[in-house]
Amino acid sequence: MNAGYLGPDPACELNLVVDAPQRVAPRAVLSLNAAFGGANTALVLGAVAA
């Protein structure tokens, strides 16, 4: 469960993952990393066209 989730808001259409994992086929993924001392990085990986 997501912390603080009480139920869907009909005025805000979000795809919340609350019960089980969802299968997706993303074209790109993003990984953000932060460390002490300002060592911050962002890594974006894209899918290769078949």
Side-chain angles (χ1 to χ4, degrees):
M1 294 296 286
N2 290 354
Y5 179 72
L6 302 176
D9 180 355
C12 182
E13 296 181 20
L14 295 176
N15 184 16
L16 296 178
V17 179
V18 294
D19 294 327
Q22 295 181 1
R23 288 197 173 270
V24 295
R27 292 182 299 164
V29 294
L30 170 68
S31 175
L32 296 174
N33 302 286
F36 293 108
N40 304 317
T41 61
L43 177 66
V44 179
L45 299 173
V48 177

